[in-house]
Amino acid sequence: MENLIALLVAAPLVGAALLLCGGKRLDRTGHLIGTLFSVASFALGVVLFADMLGKGAGDRALHQQLFTWIPVGGFRADIAFQLDQLSMTFVLLITGVGSLIHIYSIGYMEHDERRRRFFGYLNLFLAAMLLLVLADNYLLLYAGWEGVGLASYLLIGFWQHKPSAATAAKKAFLVNRVGDMGLSIAIMLMFTTFGTFAFGPVFAATDRAGQGTLTALGLLLLLGACGKSAQVPLQSWLGDAMEGPTPVSALIHAATMVTAGVYLITRSGAIFNAAPTAQLAVVVVGAVTLLFGAIVGCAKDDIKKALAGSTMSQIGYMILAAGLGPIGYAFAIMHLVTHGFFKAGLFLGAGSVMHGMNDEVDMRRYGGLRKYMPVTFITFGLGYLAIIGFPGLSGFFSKDKIIEAAFARGGTEGWILGGAALLGAAITAFYMTRVMLMTFFGEKRWDPAEVHPHESPKVMTLPMIVLAFGSVFAGGLFSINEAFVKWLEPVTSFAHGHSPVSATTVTAATMVVLVIGVGIAWGMYGRKPVPALAPRGSLLTRAARRDLLQDDFNHVVFVRGGQELTGTLVQLDRSVVDGAVNGTAAAMGGLSGLLRQLQTGFVRSYAVQMLGGAAVLVAATLLMRGV
Amino acid sequence: MSPVASVHSLWTVAAGAPGKIPAPHIEYAELSPTLIVLGAAVIGILIEALVPRRHRYYSQLLLSLVALAAAFAAVIGLAAGGFGSSKAHIAAMGAVAVDGPALFLQGTILLVSLIAVFTFAERRLEPAAHGEGASPARTKGRAWGRVDSFAAQPAAVPGSAAEQAAVKAGFTTTEVFPILLFAVGGMLIFPAASDLLTLFIALEVFSLPLYLLCALARRQRLLSQEAAVKYFLLGAFSSAFLLFGVALLYGYAGTVTYAGIAEVVSDGAKQIDPALAGTMGNDALLLIGAALVLMGLLFKVGAVPFHMWTPDVYQGAPTPVTGFMAAATKVAAFGALLRLLYVVLPGLRWDWRPVMWGVAILTMLGGAIVAITQTDIKRLLAYSSIAHAGFLLAGVVATSEDGVSSVLFYLGAYSFVTLGAFAVVTLVRDAGGEATALSKWAGLGRRSPLVAAVFAVFLLAFAGIPLTSGFAGKFAVFKAAAQSGAGWLVVVGVLSSAIAAFFYIRVIVLMFFNEPKADGPTVAVPSPLTTTAIAIGVTATLVLGLAPQYFLDLAGQASVFVR
């Protein structure tokens, strides 16, 4: 079976190669080819999953060594794969949700001239993402990491004729570079410390490394995770990334790629477990981001940006859970999967709404759409219930566990983290209710003469329905008899936390904040009409609309600071470096001019110089003997 | 006197009874490369005398190519027969070595000469008649309708009516081929010479034809003749030093064979020749003699401070000759230098190494620095060749097998680059013939991208940029020098390379990033001969740059001198 692992990656890679190199002759069939390869990869994943279920929990992990990529002395980089329960979870999520979104895109991108290229990029993304989760060493993981970055860049800027899309792509790329740098330095540090970057040997050797090294490793990995998963302080790109086509937002910027940071931290659990300081940084980042994203999500009128804020916030939950160590890893991944379902569903729903509303994204110009697009309304609604943690739906199980684990960290930290997670749940309920009300309820705020809302074609609604099933049932299924936790335990290990408050209390508190959040939203957007133009709002609202001033901060600190720095360096370069270089060049030129004058053209002076040279040569030879 | 050194007793010791001169034992097969080339040169002279004019060009061309190819085949045969390694010995009564370095260098010289013959035979670049009153109609019926780079009538006084008439008539001569073969013959002996007299004779055998060839430019004949006279005078001057050095060494050792001198240097004189009782074993004679012989060889390789002739001669000589000289002479002279230092003077290396370090440094820096302000492409390449001589000297002073092999490799790599570069120079022409002023090369890349790109490859190889043979060679040489403990020599070498890179890259910038001038030169379309020469140059440059290991190994196997 292990020989099939490479095929998981190869299938979408072949698809991408075909679609991107195939040229115009594939224009008419390109979307089908892309979908086919994606589904093939999913089918293969299911086969491997079935095989894995048939084995005992201890020996489920598969390895496949393809070839040694770079053997140089003690440096050995292998193209080798590892398929264990954690990777398997991701494979199914990536290929499953990926295939659904491929299918959805057939309808969504129907009228786009460059649809073949779009599917090529999607396949490329799948291949890179699978490489990322299947790699058995950090270097290969990094290759996938950069690959998804590339695919993300290409897809955010897919409508490159729009300057905003091109800028957003560039922004995402640049911010991600910061994180990637952290990961790459981490890999180098890992190699100098352990002499390898294969998962197994590195994790086995953590006790040999000093606490300082481990902390540095953890912080660098966290930096990488922050970049890819849009966590504070590298969160600024995700909102702009919504410039990409909506299926891209659903697949890459909600369900899969942005969760790579969670994967990285969970996979590197052995390192983080041994570095408590780094773990503390992780939970702080998670807690801050889950509030940050939630607050931003409250103020956005652009439906995709509101959802993007929500994504950021939900990943904050996962990072928080992953930072809690063995009591949280499994719940982080569980929330990741359920979030993959309901957030992808919500984005596809948003895309469906936009599809019917002439690509309008401003929720203040929606309203009352539930009658016009019932399927979208129901699937979106189920996603909504799932994300706010409505009892019995997916989000309820996964988020509840995270909040519980946060309290279980113990001490003051536990209270702070648990409180933040609870507060986040309240805000989540608020902003999601706001989205729901502004879009599907209330009065029409659109002009019926111009816009004719309609339900999307089946090829788009079908994936939404499938995802809605996932949103409703996944969490419950996972929680039966702690199935998911037991499934992952051999990889991530698991410890029951000792919460200072009982699980029932936490659940009750969650329910209370849920009701409060929904209630406030109802009071603000359900009971009275929503103004078609955004009111000025409070200071916090205005700040949240500007993404809590993240870009202003970056501009002042990094852009201005960078400009100052480069300005100074340019000055330094001109005066000192260029001065030295030009000075040397001028000196050489002058010397050359001087020496050139020896070349008089007169053979007599040449002969004299030769005579002198001979005399010096003889004298020097004799002198050497004397010395 | 050692038993191998008997033939030269003819000159030095009063012979026994007259008429009883012993017949020398000559291994004809082992000396066949040299003999083939010299024999062909003699046949070439006969062709000049006996074959009708219209057939001479083709017969000379064919003869030269066949002879050089045959000689090369003979070298390969000898190498395959083990003469490069196990069977290496000194042939011709101790006069000529047949060993790895000799065969490697002879092979290189023969290949280089073969390509040089292509450029010598080029007849499509020059219009048949030029200057005032030239009429293209006259060219009808001549070989390819054009003339070569050599003087229409070398005996005519420059600027005279006779010369103008000869030019207008589109005369061509074919003596250059046998002259070239004679020079090649001398060059084949030079690196193999195993006694000082053979060394001197070989030096003269290849120098005299070169002086002649330098004087044969079709255009700018005064410049060409001036170059030839300068080369001749200074060459004679340096030969005198060399000969004087030979005399002093003989006085010291009582023999002129390399092996004999080496023995005396390391073990002291065993038998004192009564005629030399006052001088034998006197170290002053050894040191001065060695220095003077070295000087003669340093003159030939163009090392500072004996380089003054190089730019003038390179500029004045017909460009194919310059290319040949720059490549083949350097190979031969470095071969002789290596053998002298490694076979004769190893016991003396603590004396000559510091001196040679000094010479290497002066040569590297001098060549690179003065090249910066050159405005003529041929002079620029001349100074570049001086700088390269310095890099080669850095390998020579390594006094290790790696040093030898790196120099052998470098020589091979460098000669193809040089030949190719000068071949490209013959293509860039305006009304006055070759347009060698650098300013005229501005924007060449816009007009003739292919030719400019090829020249750029050669320049990058000169500069030692990776993926060209220049890098592999320079790396090998510097590595050998560093391993021999001369790390600072390598530092100077790298700095000189940096300086040199400046003017090489400047030419590339000039060609590709400057606007072409309105009255700029045109690139002539050559015959397949020059095209082949340039193509071989580029191929060798890239192959030796991309996959140097095979050739490095070859040079490594050929790096042991027979003693």
Side-chain angles (χ1 to χ4, degrees):
Chain A
M1 283 319 258
E2 59 267 18
N3 296 329
L4 295 178
I5 301 176
L7 289 179
L8 280 173
V9 183
L13 197 62
V14 169
L18 270 180
L19 292 176
L20 296 178
C21 308
K24 287 196 173 140
R25 76 201 81 151
L26 293 180
D27 272 355
R28 304 181 65 191
T29 52
H31 51 288
L32 298 178
I33 295 175
T35 310
L36 184 73
F37 278 104
S38 169
V39 172
S41 192
F42 175 64
L44 201 58
V46 170
V47 170
L48 284 164
F49 178 60
D51 177 65
M52 188 178 274
L53 284 180
K55 293 181 187 166
D59 45 27
R60 280 178 172 167
L62 294 177
H63 285 271
Q64 182 184 14
Q65 163 91 24
L66 269 193
F67 56 90
T68 298
W69 180 19
I70 313 169
V72 184
F75 180 94
R76 187 182 145 105
D78 284 332
I79 302 289
F81 300 114
Q82 170 182 323
L83 182 69
D84 58 11
Q85 290 89 328
L86 181 60
S87 301
M88 193 72 239
T89 312
F90 273 89
V91 166
L92 291 176
L93 176 72
I94 294 162
T95 55
V97 176
S99 297
L100 289 176
I101 287 171
H102 271 77
I103 294 167
Y104 178 89
S105 303
I106 295 174
Y108 192 82
M109 299 298 281
E110 194 176 356
H111 304 294
D112 198 293
E113 286 175 4
R114 296 159 70 232
R115 181 167 64 168
R116 171 179 58 85
R117 186 182 297 255
F118 179 80
F119 277 85
Y121 291 158
L122 277 189
N123 270 2
L124 179 67
F125 166 76
L126 282 190
M129 189 74 200
L130 287 168
L131 185 66
L132 195 164
V133 297
L134 285 171
D136 95 325
N137 61 69
Y138 280 97
L139 197 68
L140 195 59
L141 178 147
Y142 187 71
W145 190 268
E146 291 295 343
V148 293
L150 169 70
S152 159
Y153 168 81
L154 291 170
L155 285 165
I156 295 171
F158 186 74
W159 288 321
Q160 63 216 51
H161 53 86
K162 286 198 297 183
S164 57
T167 313
K170 198 191 287 180
K171 183 177 180 184
F173 195 80
L174 289 177
V175 176
N176 266 294
R177 292 315 300 162
V178 179
D180 297 350
M181 195 186 65
L183 179 56
S184 63
I185 297 175
I187 294 172
M188 296 176 215
L189 182 62
M190 210 175 277
F191 183 75
T192 53
T193 310
F194 305 114
T196 173
F197 28 63
F199 290 149
V202 168
F203 299 151
T206 43
D207 51 342
R208 282 196 276 118
Q211 190 55 228
T213 313
L214 286 171
T215 306
L217 262 182
L219 291 177
L220 287 166
L221 290 172
L222 174 63
L223 183 64
C226 283
K228 199 58 84 195
S229 295
Q231 299 295 293
V232 174
L234 298 178
Q235 79 292 356
S236 67
W237 63 273
L238 187 62
D240 298 77
M242 298 300 130
E243 287 291 340
T246 306
V248 172
S249 311
L251 177 62
I252 301 185
H253 304 120
T256 55
M257 184 192 84
V258 286
T259 60
V262 182
Y263 173 77
L264 184 69
I265 292 175
T266 309
R267 177 59 82 189
S268 313
I271 294 172
F272 283 97
N273 292 345
T277 319
Q279 262 185 332
L280 181 65
V282 175
V283 292
V284 169
V285 164
V288 169
T289 310
L290 81 86
L291 293 174
F292 188 106
I295 293 169
V296 170
C298 295
K300 292 288 182 185
D301 291 332
D302 177 329
I303 184 168
K304 285 179 71 181
K305 293 202 171 172
L307 290 177
S310 156
T311 302
M312 206 185 284
S313 166
Q314 296 302 312
I315 296 172
Y317 273 105
M318 301 171 207
I319 295 277
L320 169 64
L324 295 172
I327 57 171
Y329 291 133
F331 301 126
I333 301 299
M334 182 161 135
H335 192 54
L336 192 156
V337 175
T338 56
H339 174 255
F341 286 124
F342 57 68
K343 187 52 69 62
L346 287 169
F347 264 111
L348 294 190
S352 174
V353 170
M354 286 161 59
H355 195 74
M357 295 289 290
N358 291 355
D359 284 332
E360 179 61 67
V361 290
D362 188 349
M363 292 188 289
R364 290 189 188 275
R365 304 212 184 140
Y366 292 169
L369 291 177
R370 67 180 184 281
K371 279 175 275 176
Y372 300 91
M373 20 185 103
V375 181
T376 306
F377 167 63
I378 291 167
T379 54
F380 195 94
L382 289 172
Y384 154 76
L385 291 176
I387 192 173
I388 62 172
F390 192 81
L393 274 68
S394 286
F396 168 77
F397 293 101
S398 53
K399 200 195 286 175
D400 210 38
K401 288 290 182 192
I402 292 178
I403 297 172
E404 216 175 286
F407 278 112
R409 185 174 171 89
T412 325
E413 279 175 24
W415 285 105
I416 295 173
L417 294 173
L422 262 183
L423 181 59
I427 306 176
T428 306
F430 170 78
Y431 68 73
M432 281 314 299
T433 311
R434 173 175 175 269
V435 169
M436 198 66 200
L437 291 174
M438 284 175 85
T439 306
F440 292 102
F441 293 88
E443 297 162 12
K444 302 172 193 170
R445 294 183 297 278
W446 35 274
D447 182 358
E450 285 176 21
V451 187
H452 309 285
H454 55 86
E455 187 55 88
S456 298
K458 285 220 168 57
V459 72
M460 286 167 70
T461 50
L462 194 73
M464 288 153 60
I465 294 168
V466 176
L467 286 170
F469 270 97
S471 312
V472 173
F473 298 113
L477 276 175
F478 292 164
S479 299
I480 296 172
N481 203 10
E482 291 194 322
F484 196 82
V485 170
K486 283 181 182 154
W487 159 255
L488 275 185
E489 196 180 349
V491 183
T492 60
S493 70
F494 178 69
H496 276 286
H498 301 288
S499 179
V501 280
S502 72
T504 330
T505 320
V506 172
T507 310
T510 315
M511 285 306 108
V512 171
V513 299
L514 170 71
V515 171
I516 295 174
V518 173
I520 295 176
W522 170 251
M524 286 174 71
Y525 300 96
R527 274 185 27 202
K528 44 192 177 184
V530 179
L533 272 179
R536 191 156 176 269
S538 68
L539 200 62
L540 180 65
T541 313
R542 276 179 283 153
R545 271 188 205 136
R546 288 185 67 97
D547 300 299
L548 292 178
L549 307 179
Q550 60 183 17
D551 290 336
D552 308 78
F553 176 81
N554 286 347
H555 188 77
V556 170
V557 176
F558 296 110
V559 178
R560 290 261 180 80
Q563 281 168 344
E564 287 290 318
L565 185 67
T566 48
T568 317
L569 286 176
V570 165
Q571 279 301 321
L572 197 72
D573 186 55
R574 289 226 178 99
S575 52
V576 179
V577 180
D578 284 8
V581 170
N582 292 338
T584 314
M588 285 299 158
L591 192 61
S592 178
L594 278 179
L595 288 176
R596 209 181 154 189
Q597 290 172 10
L598 289 174
Q599 197 79 20
T600 54
F602 294 118
V603 75
R604 54 174 188 260
S605 61
Y606 295 176
V608 169
Q609 285 178 41
M610 277 172 61
L611 183 63
V616 171
L617 196 68
V618 168
T621 314
L622 288 174
L623 201 66
M624 280 308 138
R625 177 55 64 93
V627 174
Chain B
M1 192 175 296
S2 69
V4 280
S6 53
V7 70
H8 299 290
S9 60
L10 293 176
W11 281 285
T12 55
V13 180
K20 285 193 116 185
I21 299 174
H25 173 65
I26 305 289
E27 297 88 337
Y28 291 101
E30 292 164 32
L31 302 178
S32 55
T34 318
L35 296 177
I36 291 170
V37 171
L38 288 176
V42 173
I43 297 173
I45 297 290
L46 291 176
I47 290 177
E48 282 300 310
L50 302 176
V51 173
R53 185 176 286 274
R54 63 201 151 86
H55 295 312
R56 279 183 210 161
Y57 172 73
Y58 289 111
S59 15
Q60 292 284 20
L61 179 56
L62 192 67
L63 174 71
S64 308
L65 292 179
V66 168
L68 292 169
F72 184 71
V75 167
I76 298 290
L78 287 174
F83 285 97
S85 48
S86 55
K87 287 207 255 173
H89 74 125
I90 298 178
M93 312 289 286
V96 179
V98 182
D99 60 5
L103 289 174
F104 188 95
L105 292 166
Q106 286 174 342
T108 310
I109 292 170
L110 286 166
L111 279 184
V112 165
S113 311
L114 205 61
I115 302 170
V117 168
F118 287 133
T119 59
F120 275 49
E122 175 63 50
R123 289 197 161 182
R124 280 201 195 165
L125 299 174
E126 284 280 0
H130 53 80
E132 282 179 44
S135 119
R138 294 279 190 87
T139 62
K140 265 194 169 175
R142 300 205 165 275
W144 296 346
R146 301 271 181 115
V147 295
D148 54 22
S149 311
F150 300 100
Q153 194 171 17
V157 176
S160 67
E163 192 209 18
Q164 282 178 12
V167 168
K168 275 185 197 168
F171 284 169
T172 52
T173 53
T174 46
E175 293 99 337
V176 288
F177 293 103
I179 300 178
L180 172 75
L181 287 179
F182 275 120
V184 174
M187 288 174 182
L188 293 181
I189 308 175
F190 202 47
S194 257
D195 71 51
L196 293 169
L197 284 177
T198 311
L199 179 81
F200 177 71
I201 287 167
L203 174 72
E204 294 302 320
V205 168
F206 81 78
S207 294
L208 290 169
L210 284 181
Y211 302 148
L212 266 183
L213 286 172
C214 287
L216 289 183
R218 176 168 284 266
R219 310 259 191 151
Q220 297 191 304
R221 293 201 51 213
L222 275 177
L223 194 67
S224 167
Q225 296 195 347
E226 182 191 330
V229 171
K230 278 180 181 169
Y231 194 15
F232 172 66
L233 285 175
L234 296 174
F237 193 46
S238 83
S239 291
F241 278 104
L242 184 125
L243 205 50
F244 189 37
V246 170
L248 293 177
L249 284 181
Y250 175 69
Y252 165 77
T255 172
V256 289
T257 63
Y258 284 5
I261 300 172
E263 206 179 296
V264 179
V265 170
S266 51
D267 303 339
K270 286 183 182 140
Q271 293 173 300
I272 301 290
D273 191 321
L276 299 168
T279 58
M280 273 191 79
N282 183 336
D283 273 0
L285 292 190
L286 170 67
L287 293 173
I288 299 173
L292 292 180
V293 173
L294 274 181
M295 185 220 134
L297 297 176
L298 290 174
F299 173 83
K300 276 293 160 196
V301 305
V304 176
F306 313 107
H307 66 290
M308 316 297 295
W309 60 276
T310 321
D312 293 14
V313 174
Y314 276 28
Q315 189 186 15
T319 307
V321 174
T322 311
F324 170 67
M325 242 179 1
T329 312
K330 201 146 268 181
V331 177
F334 264 104
L337 188 63
L338 278 175
R339 188 176 296 278
L340 185 78
L341 292 176
Y342 282 66
V343 176
V344 184
L345 304 174
L348 212 58
R349 63 170 164 278
W350 300 113
D351 296 295
W352 61 256
R353 269 184 78 180
V355 179
M356 291 294 283
W357 281 335
V359 174
I361 289 173
L362 279 181
T363 308
M364 289 189 284
L365 285 176
I369 290 176
V370 183
I372 294 176
T373 44
Q374 296 306 314
T375 53
D376 182 286
I377 189 76
K378 282 170 83 177
R379 285 184 84 84
L380 180 83
L381 291 178
Y383 280 104
S384 138
S385 89
I386 296 172
H388 282 280
F391 300 137
L392 280 158
L393 283 174
V396 169
V397 296
T399 59
S400 61
E401 274 186 28
D402 276 351
V404 178
S405 69
S406 68
V407 170
L408 293 183
F409 179 84
Y410 198 118
L411 284 170
Y414 172 76
S415 13
F416 286 102
V417 181
T418 302
L419 261 179
F422 279 107
V424 173
V425 171
T426 63
L427 302 184
V428 183
R429 312 179 77 90
D430 59 13
E434 288 164 11
T436 56
L438 260 182
S439 55
K440 292 186 181 168
W441 284 54
L444 195 71
R446 309 273 180 89
R447 286 191 184 166
S448 311
L450 182 64
V451 170
V454 165
F455 198 64
V457 169
F458 291 135
L459 289 170
L460 292 175
F462 278 135
I465 305 296
L467 304 187
T468 64
S469 59
F471 173 76
K474 218 173 248 179
F475 184 81
V477 164
F478 286 164
K479 187 175 143 213
Q483 281 173 349
S484 77
W488 47 273
L489 191 65
V490 175
V491 172
V492 176
V494 171
L495 289 179
S496 310
S497 301
I499 299 172
F502 167 74
F503 58 80
Y504 295 126
I505 307 286
R506 199 179 54 148
V507 177
I508 296 180
V509 170
L510 190 70
M511 290 194 300
F512 286 98
F513 299 100
N514 284 27
E515 286 302 320
K517 286 189 176 174
D519 58 342
T522 53
V523 170
V525 179
S527 69
L529 291 167
T530 303
T531 312
T532 311
I534 296 175
I536 294 175
V538 172
T539 313
T541 304
L542 295 179
V543 168
L544 292 185
L546 292 171
Q549 200 53 49
Y550 173 76
F551 301 93
L552 282 169
D553 290 345
L554 196 67
Q557 287 162 18
S559 61
V560 181
F561 286 97
V562 67
R563 288 174 207 283

